[in-house]
Amino acid sequence: MTKDRLTTSAGAPVPSNNTSATAGPRGPVMLEDYQLVEKLAHQNRERIPERVVHAKGWGAEGTFTVTHDITKYTCAKIFSQVGNTCDILSRWSTVAGELGAADAERDVRGFSIKFYTEEGNWDVVGNNTPIFFVRDAFKFPDFIRTQKRHPKTNLRSPEAMFDFWAAQPESVHQVTILMSDRGIPVNPMHMHGYGSHTYSMWNAQGGRHWVKFHFRCQQEIKNYSNGEAEKLIGSTRESYQEDLYNAIDEGQFPKWELNIQVMPEEQANDVDFNPFDLTKVWPHDQFPLIPVGMLEFNKNPENYFQMVENAAFSPSNKIPGIGFSPDKMLQARVFSYADAHRYRLGTHYEALPANAPKAAKLNHYHKDGSMRFFTNDFGNPDAYYEPNQYGGPVADPSVKEPPLKISGDMDRYEQVETDADYVQPRKLYTEVLDAAQRDRLHKNMAAAFGPCSQPVKERWLAVLEKVHPDYAAGVRAADEAGDTDVNAIPVSDDTPVDSND
Ligand code: NDP
Ligand code: HEM
């Protein structure tokens, strides 16, 4: 087989890729051996900053197919016809661990999907939980600090985690899910995904609905107990990457059904919970799941770094027909992600293959900066500002979102604890989880807060007491007895039910 000639990055043929140019056989090395310098310099630049959160992740490429007509809710072109398809890119992740963290740790999982639609890229940057720990962005950096390493010990600190959660009782809903069976999925292919926030859709008539996105796992829901996960981590830290890569490589393509919950714009004032509060779900019986389409992941990226590390998902990436909502956390995220990408990847990060639109034509006036390796002179080098007389691209008012009525005074509204913070976790505890699942929840929680000081434990138990006295009593008993061993989780306890249940 004839092989291509190795070249420099400037295209010149390279005489050797394993012997340095030296003065005599024993050295020293000549400074003019520029290809040696180049090789070492490149190696020094092979890492970019890891994501400040969600550093460890696993990704795949695939296809989204629209299966149901939702044109009464949205004029987004991708949903204009049943059968429409677009390419998709996923990245699933853990939140707290660094890039080298073990995959099978108890943590929330990130669930990011990029839809490459003909009207631009639409990103849903969600989690495998329908809710979140806090509901005001001011609290997010502090919350994340409690998940990362202690400044002195350089270790993760349960004391910090539970100290923070006990002072933010709205977090009990998410912490309950985290400590339940679903806190350690066996891999990304066996968990649901949620957009979590409330978003909006508008239709061709300008009517707006609030929506929640649900990605219903088409594989069995499967989870590990702490013991199983610890054993697994002892043998491999990369179990998710192995499972996902091998499944796709062997033609077993994981699938999720995209569903939406829908609320007419005006109804937001009439429901007995704040539909824009990220610590609350919309109950299924009031807002049934409506199937929309199917996601199938059928391709491992040719180069992990290029497509998964370089991927820049952002809630700010939306398309005409899909919009934001007043959710305070969502508003902050709309700012934060692109800011993170400019820092982590560079000015023109959206020109990287993972982030560049695949189906939409790109026409923007951004100019210079790092990674300026594309042209956009629109056929005329003078059309580099706007408005111009050279036929450069112009904005299209027809894609404007319908006006949104805002009411109230501008103020800093306290995110005070209310009884409503306990209603949904109580329902989860008493009605969704059965006795065996509650028992495992008690033990997992006791294992997690075992290392905490007694005052922090008591403050957290007081929060659990407000959810349900049995919850606090169960965790206290497991903690006092040191009874934190959970056997394998029976799959039948956790099988997904039909999406319209
Ligand atoms: P439903 O009985 O219709 O829904 C219960 C939901 O809980 C199902 O989606 C179920 O998933 C999911 N679930 C089961 N076990 C767990 C677990 N350990 N951790 C997280 N989710 C789990 O009732 P409601 O819609 O009225 O919701 C009741 C409670 O269920 C809520 O207060 C909330 O805590 C939780 N929940 C609700 C969701 C929603 O969007 N309404 C979504 C997820 C959880 P599956 O279908 O796979 O069994
Ligand atoms: C990643 C900020 C809340 C899901 C990130 C990143 C930042 C960030 C800066 C790193 C981005 C990058 O470098 O590419 C915030 C802020 C939040 C918030 C400021 C609250 C105000 C949430 C919530 C969810 C979420 C509520 C889920 C519903 C994710 C996911 C990733 C991520 C999935 C990884 C994206 C990927 O796979 O590349 N977040 N986040 N975040 N966040 Fe958030």
Side-chain angles (χ1 to χ4, degrees):
M1 184 173 95
T2 37
K3 293 183 179 171
D4 284 341
R5 278 200 307 185
L6 181 70
T7 68
T8 68
S9 40
V14 170
S16 170
N17 193 32
N18 50 32
T19 49
S20 312
T22 51
R26 295 186 172 190
V29 170
M30 308 300 291
L31 180 59
E32 68 160 49
D33 190 349
Y34 183 69
Q35 285 316 313
L36 173 64
V37 175
E38 177 77 1
K39 193 169 181 176
L40 296 176
H42 252 272
Q43 184 183 34
N44 289 352
R45 288 159 183 79
E46 278 183 3
R47 303 287 171 268
I48 56 175
E50 67 176 35
R51 287 165 176 81
V52 66
V53 282
H54 295 262
K56 183 78 190 279
W58 324 275
E61 296 170 53
T63 311
F64 172 63
T65 307
V66 177
T67 54
H68 293 73
D69 180 13
I70 55 163
T71 50
K72 64 178 168 177
Y73 303 122
T74 180
C75 58
K77 271 218 181 110
I78 179 68
F79 298 117
S80 62
Q81 235 176 326
V82 169
N84 280 357
T85 63
C86 71
D87 288 352
I88 47 177
L89 173 72
S90 71
R91 184 174 177 274
W92 300 284
S93 50
T94 44
V95 180
E98 293 97 357
L99 203 49
D103 292 347
E105 290 183 350
R106 183 172 295 279
D107 198 352
V108 169
R109 265 63 181 166
F111 199 106
S112 305
I113 311 287
K114 194 180 283 291
F115 296 79
Y116 298 95
T117 85
E118 62 178 291
E119 283 191 311
N121 294 349
W122 169 43
D123 293 357
V124 180
V125 195
N127 279 335
N128 71 334
T129 62
I131 47 151
F132 198 67
F133 297 91
V134 293
R135 55 184 166 220
D136 191 301
F138 254 110
K139 296 180 181 178
F140 183 77
D142 294 288
F143 162 62
I144 291 302
R145 193 153 296 167
T146 70
Q147 299 297 302
K148 296 277 187 178
R149 292 168 188 273
H150 185 281
K152 183 170 181 189
T153 63
N154 198 32
L155 298 169
R156 305 278 299 278
S157 169
E159 181 83 357
M161 297 176 200
F162 282 91
D163 179 32
F164 180 85
W165 287 331
Q168 314 292 334
E170 73 267 26
S171 66
V172 70
H173 198 185
Q174 176 81 320
V175 178
T176 301
I177 294 178
L178 176 62
M179 298 299 163
S180 78
D181 287 349
R182 296 196 186 186
I184 318 179
V186 303
N187 62 42
M189 297 178 286
H190 294 282
M191 63 191 196
H192 299 312
Y194 301 88
S196 307
H197 294 278
T198 296
Y199 289 86
S200 58
M201 284 184 164
W202 75 89
N203 59 24
Q205 294 73 43
R208 178 185 283 106
H209 288 79
W210 306 117
V211 292
K212 293 265 196 200
F213 298 112
H214 296 246
F215 298 92
R216 300 281 306 175
C217 180
Q218 301 300 293
Q219 298 68 242
E220 220 167 7
I221 297 288
K222 281 196 206 161
N223 304 289
Y224 287 132
S225 65
N226 283 345
E228 288 173 308
E230 274 165 28
K231 206 166 148 208
L232 177 67
I233 290 170
S235 65
T236 172
R237 299 171 63 77
E238 316 296 339
S239 53
Y240 280 32
Q241 182 67 25
E242 290 162 4
D243 290 355
L244 180 67
Y245 185 91
N246 291 336
I248 293 177
D249 202 43
E250 287 160 14
Q252 290 158 20
F253 302 142
K255 292 188 181 135
W256 281 262
E257 185 182 62
L258 173 61
N259 284 253
I260 53 174
Q261 287 177 294
V262 175
M263 184 188 293
E265 182 172 359
E266 312 72 43
Q267 202 187 338
N269 300 320
D270 301 334
V271 282
D272 58 2
F273 60 94
N274 173 1
F276 308 116
D277 176 349
L278 183 58
T279 64
K280 309 282 180 295
V281 299
W282 293 2
H284 288 129
D285 56 357
Q286 292 175 54
F287 301 97
L289 295 181
I290 299 168
V292 174
M294 194 62 79
L295 295 89
E296 181 188 87
F297 292 93
N298 44 29
K299 182 171 183 287
N300 281 315
E302 284 303 322
N303 183 300
Y304 174 89
F305 190 91
Q306 181 195 36
M307 294 306 285
V308 183
E309 268 313 287
N310 271 348
F313 295 93
S314 174
S316 54
N317 282 340
K318 65 188 179 80
I319 51 175
I322 297 177
F324 307 129
S325 79
D327 181 334
K328 305 168 196 210
M329 287 278 284
L330 177 58
Q331 300 289 323
R333 293 182 71 204
V334 166
F335 153 74
S336 177
Y337 286 68
D339 183 54
H341 301 147
R342 284 184 285 267
Y343 163 70
R344 184 167 68 82
L345 299 166
T347 314
H348 291 291
Y349 67 91
E350 290 199 294
L352 291 167
N355 307 321
K358 287 190 183 184
K361 185 166 179 305
L362 207 56
N363 290 322
H364 65 69
Y365 287 100
H366 293 320
K367 200 165 171 281
D368 304 339
S370 61
M371 293 195 284
R372 176 59 208 234
F373 50 77
F374 54 95
T375 173
N376 63 349
D377 63 13
F378 314 119
N380 185 334
D382 290 323
Y384 63 95
Y385 56 89
E386 208 272 330
N388 65 59
Q389 58 181 326
Y390 306 106
V394 291
D396 174 5
S398 74
V399 300
K400 187 167 82 72
E401 188 165 348
L404 174 67
K405 204 172 273 320
I406 305 281
S407 65
D409 298 333
M410 197 203 98
D411 204 347
R412 294 182 185 275
Y413 292 91
E414 287 292 325
Q415 296 289 298
V416 288
E417 168 192 10
T418 70
D419 289 344
D421 290 333
Y422 301 105
V423 170
Q424 294 192 351
R426 188 174 303 129
K427 191 168 182 196
L428 175 62
Y429 182 80
T430 57
E431 294 177 34
V432 178
L433 305 185
D434 63 23
Q437 290 169 324
R438 282 195 292 271
D439 181 56
R440 293 194 289 269
L441 167 67
H442 299 157
K443 291 175 173 169
N444 291 336
M445 184 85 76
F449 90 166
C452 294
S453 64
Q454 201 56 36
V456 163
K457 286 185 185 178
E458 292 303 334
R459 282 171 49 219
W460 182 245
L461 288 167
V463 173
L464 301 186
E465 181 81 28
K466 290 186 192 169
V467 177
H468 199 280
D470 292 353
Y471 192 0
V475 175
R476 185 185 290 281
D479 179 47
E480 286 174 359
D483 182 12
T484 55
D485 282 346
V486 172
N487 293 324
I489 301 166
V491 172
S492 56
D493 268 11
D494 228 333
T495 342
V497 276
D498 197 74
S499 39
N500 279 323
D501 59 331

